[in-house]
Amino acid sequence: MSPKRMFPSTPLVKLGDNHFKKVSAFLSRFGSIPDMLELDHVTVSGDVTFGRGVSLRGTVIIIANHGDRIDIPAGAILENKIVSGNLRILDH
């Protein structure tokens, strides 16, 4: 574990339902693995994807409504946030 980590333990990671059950499904949801150096706890449920260079800090809860999707954009920093419902940010 990194000595730069502010918490004395590893982060608690809870991934729900079928979207993260199989390794191939899990890997397809990440542009890159998020930075979790300052993360205490993350819960992710539903159809959620992560762009490249996402940083998770503190406690983060992300819950996509049934039938909806949440795309965390590349470079996003989520610190002590709850994200729910649906969110799609598209380049134009």
Side-chain angles (χ1 to χ4, degrees), residues 6-46:
M6 65 189 303
F7 299 100
S9 62
T10 58
L12 176 62
V13 177
K14 294 182 181 179
L15 303 174
D17 60 38
N18 296 332
H19 294 96
F20 294 92
K21 190 180 278 188
K22 297 194 179 220
V23 173
S24 61
F26 173 88
L27 293 174
S28 72
R29 301 203 160 270
F30 296 92
S32 64
I33 300 301
D35 172 18
M36 297 185 286
L37 185 64
E38 298 178 41
L39 180 68
D40 181 39
H41 167 228
V42 63
T43 296
V44 180
S45 181

